[in-house]
């Protein structure tokens, strides 16, 4: 109703201070007849003063919106104390008000310094049971923001109804209604569990020394475990998402899963308990000096037979890194034999003929023998032999592919990639090639250490 600070008489008549002389503009009872809306002592003693069309040009008239004490006029948009004013920055009911309970946070409306924007309670609660199935994305976001910003514990019970209706939907996901934890502990189904989750804090029973189950304390409250069986809380290596969704959808502690695990690196036993940062190698997280990051074994083994056909790049990379970083020889066969064997089976089919791979034995079963040879990923050299002409010579002798006697090892001029892939795909020593040769024909290795081809020619 306002474009001019001194003009607030109706929504269609506000352009400047002289725009309120229309007598019909001040007879609207909702506009200027509110007795509590008149603060100009000199201008309200005349009973006919608020309907007189010629009286609205007076700067001290009751239609003056610059009166800082006017808090009852619903059309007053410049009054700093007007609680219903849509432009009032302190108006808690205004949808455009920039307080945390009104507007979702974002680049255009950052929270005030110190404002609560999230809870450090149970993970995934807001995600799973607050506005989850609301088709209006804006309303959904606003509901979750309001939930996360609410620091008044005494008001959290107000979310029980919202949580309850979402619990009902989750309970049906496994097609069995009523098997959700606590579903029938109250006359109104899902009410009890909704009350437990609405008190969105992580509980820890410090009198209990066993801490092995996420939601352990809550399970005791729900009557699903003996009191004191677990301290509750949240350990770093708990798969909290799987436990949460399993509890909601199936009344179980495992099952419905997002496929993302904690990881294969255990937490430290002491504060801050997080896994060693050098456990995951990468550009932003280089290994510490002395840590093994690769093997000096047979080339291309990790590339060809470790997670080779895994479609998830993160899983593939992590599996290869774990293989290369494993320096415990006694664990190699147990840890990697089955992984190598399944990839050998795929590589064996590349030439269209299954079973012609070196070492294939349909009775053993299939690819186990060669997988065992490769799992022992070291370059073997028979130092008693004076003949060194074949890459994988020692291994091929064991497999019976060539006569025993070649020293094995790896010479600089061996085309190790062609030999490796030919052996894996076609049961041959050459043929399957990447066309990249070990070295140029005009640059041969030196005959003495370090054997590398000279760089000056």
């Amino acid at each position: 109703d306002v474009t001019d600070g001194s003009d607030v008489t109706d929504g269609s008549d506000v352009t400047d201070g002289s725009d309120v002389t229309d007598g019909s503009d001040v007879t609207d009872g909702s506009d200027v007849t509110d007795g509590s809306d008149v603060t100009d002592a000199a201008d309200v003693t005349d009973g006919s003063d608020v309907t007189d069309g010629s009286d609205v040009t007076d700067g001290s008239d009751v239609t003056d919106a610059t009166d800082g004490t006017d808090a009852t006029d619903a059309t007053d948009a410049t009054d700093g104390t007007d609680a219903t004013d849509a432009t009032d920055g302190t108006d808690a009911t205004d949808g455009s008000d920039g307080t945390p309970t009104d507007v979702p946070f974002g680049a255009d409306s950052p929270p005030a310094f110190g404002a609560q924007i999230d809870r450090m309670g149970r993970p995934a609660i807001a995600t799973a049971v607050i506005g989850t199935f609301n088709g209006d994305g804006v309303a959904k976001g606003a509901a979750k923001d309001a939930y996360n910003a609410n620091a008044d514990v005494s008001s959290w019970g107000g979310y029980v109804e919202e949580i309850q209706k979402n619990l009902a939907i989750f309970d049906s996901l496994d097609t069995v209604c009523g098997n959700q934890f606590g579903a029938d502990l109250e006359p109104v189904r899902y009410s009890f569990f909704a009350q437990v989750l609405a008190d969105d804090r992580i509980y820890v029973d410090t009198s209990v020394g066993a801490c092995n189950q996420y939601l352990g304390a809550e399970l005791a409250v729900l009557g699903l475990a003996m009191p004191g069986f677990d301290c509750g809380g949240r350990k770093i290596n708990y798969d909290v998402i799987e436990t949460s969704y399993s509890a909601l959808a199936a009344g179980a502690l495992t099952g419905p899963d997002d496929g993302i695990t904690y990881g294969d690196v255990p937490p430290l036993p002491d504060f801050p308990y997080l896994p060693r940062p050098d456990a995951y190698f990468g550009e932003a997280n280089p290994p510490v000096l002395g840590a093994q990051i690769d093997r000096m074994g047979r080339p291309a083994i990790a590339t060809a037979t470790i997670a080779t056909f895994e479609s998830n790049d993160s899983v593939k990379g992590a599996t290869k890194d774990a293989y290369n970083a494993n320096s415990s020889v006694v664990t190699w066969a147990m840890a990697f034999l089955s992984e190598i064997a399944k990839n050998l089976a795929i590589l064996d089919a590349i030439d269209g003929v299954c079973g012609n791979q070196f070492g294939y034995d349909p009775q053993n079963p299939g690819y186990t023998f060669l997988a065992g040879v490769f799992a022992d990923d070291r370059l073997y050299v028979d130092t008693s032999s004076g003949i060194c002409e074949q890459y994988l010579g020692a291994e091929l002798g064991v497999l019976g592919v060539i006569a025993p006697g070649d020293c094995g090892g790896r010479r600089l001029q061996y085309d190790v990639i062609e030999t490796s892939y030919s052996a894996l795909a076609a049961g041959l020593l050459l043929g399957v090639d990447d066309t990249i040769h070990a070295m140029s024909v005009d640059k041969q290795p030196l005959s003495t250490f370090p054997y590398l081809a000279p760089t000056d020619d």
Side-chain angles (χ1 to χ4, degrees):
D1 199 11
V2 286
T3 55
D4 178 9
S6 62
D7 184 28
V8 270
T9 55
D10 81 31
S12 62
D13 191 38
V14 282
T15 54
D16 63 42
S18 63
D19 199 36
V20 277
T21 58
D22 179 359
S24 63
D25 196 21
V26 283
T27 57
D28 180 355
S30 63
D31 214 20
V32 284
T33 56
D34 181 354
S36 62
D37 195 37
V38 206
T39 57
D40 183 351
D43 198 45
V44 289
T45 56
D46 180 356
S48 62
D49 198 43
V50 284
T51 59
D52 182 357
S54 63
D55 198 44
V56 259
T57 58
D58 181 357
S60 60
D61 192 281
V62 288
T63 59
D64 184 352
T66 59
D67 179 359
T69 61
D70 181 0
T72 57
D73 182 359
T75 60
D76 181 0
T78 58
D79 180 4
T81 61
D82 182 358
T84 58
D85 181 353
T87 59
D88 180 7
T90 61
D91 180 2
T93 61
D94 175 12
S96 62
D97 181 12
T99 59
T101 55
D102 286 323
V103 174
F105 300 133
D108 296 330
S109 56
F113 183 72
Q116 176 173 307
I117 61 173
D118 203 355
R119 301 195 192 185
M120 292 300 290
R122 303 181 188 97
I125 295 302
T127 301
V129 296
I130 300 295
T132 311
F133 303 100
N134 190 333
D136 184 334
V138 174
K140 172 190 269 188
K144 292 181 185 293
D145 283 344
Y147 176 87
N148 285 320
N150 190 339
D152 181 7
V153 177
S154 65
S155 71
W156 288 358
Y159 295 105
V160 168
E161 183 178 352
E162 172 67 19
I163 294 173
Q164 187 175 318
K165 70 182 182 183
N166 287 287
L167 288 179
I169 299 174
F170 273 105
D171 185 27
S172 68
L173 293 184
D174 66 346
T175 71
V176 180
C177 290
N179 63 343
Q180 186 182 84
F181 287 158
D184 293 316
L185 292 179
E186 290 282 332
V188 179
R189 181 172 279 188
Y190 313 113
S191 175
F192 187 78
F193 197 18
Q195 293 174 56
V196 172
L197 295 180
D199 185 9
D200 190 6
R201 293 176 282 189
I202 292 182
Y203 282 89
V204 179
D205 185 347
T206 56
S207 69
V208 178
C211 300
N212 299 302
Q213 180 61 59
Y214 176 56
L215 297 179
E218 289 85 347
L219 291 173
V221 171
L222 290 166
L224 300 171
M226 293 294 294
F229 98 103
D230 195 273
C231 78
R234 176 186 180 182
K235 291 168 70 175
I236 291 174
N237 55 344
Y238 285 164
D239 191 338
V240 295
I241 300 302
E242 180 179 6
T243 301
S244 298
Y245 281 94
S246 296
L248 298 180
L253 296 176
T254 58
D257 196 6
D258 60 358
I260 301 173
T261 63
Y262 161 76
D264 57 358
V265 180
L268 296 175
D270 303 309
F271 185 83
Y273 308 108
L274 300 173
R276 287 169 52 86
D278 58 2
Y280 299 98
F281 302 138
E283 182 178 354
N285 187 26
V288 296
L289 184 66
Q292 176 172 309
I293 62 173
D294 204 353
R295 302 194 190 187
M296 291 300 292
R298 304 181 188 96
I301 295 301
T303 302
T305 64
I306 300 296
T308 310
F309 304 99
E310 169 61 55
S311 60
N312 186 313
D313 287 340
S314 296
V315 174
K316 173 186 277 191
T319 305
K320 290 183 184 293
D321 283 346
Y323 175 86
N324 285 319
N326 189 332
S327 58
S328 177
V329 176
V330 296
T331 68
W332 287 355
M334 180 178 295
F336 302 109
L337 190 144
S338 62
E339 174 66 21
I340 294 173
K342 71 181 183 183
N343 286 287
L344 288 178
I346 298 173
L347 291 168
D348 183 26
I350 289 178
D351 67 344
V353 180
C354 290
N356 62 343
Q357 187 180 83
F358 287 154
Y360 175 79
D361 181 355
Q363 306 300 321
N364 200 26
Y367 304 96
T368 302
F369 183 74
L370 186 56
V373 172
F374 281 152
D376 185 13
D377 189 8
R378 294 176 283 187
L379 279 172
Y380 281 90
V381 179
D382 183 354
T383 57
S384 68
S385 172
I387 303 172
C388 300
E389 302 292 343
Q390 180 62 57
Y391 174 58
L392 296 179
E395 292 87 344
L396 293 171
V398 171
L399 290 168
V401 176
I402 64 173
D406 193 278
C407 79
R410 176 186 181 181
R411 295 171 65 185
L412 293 175
Q413 66 265 41
Y414 288 164
D415 190 338
V416 295
I417 300 300
E418 180 179 8
T419 302
S420 297
Y421 280 93
S422 297
L424 298 179
L428 301 170
L429 296 179
L430 50 84
V432 181
D433 194 9
D434 60 358
T435 71
I436 300 173
H437 302 293
M439 56 179 51
S440 170
V441 293
D442 60 346
K443 284 196 174 184
Q444 294 301 305
L446 298 175
S447 58
T448 56
F449 184 85
Y451 307 107
L452 298 174
T455 60
D456 56 354
D457 63 347

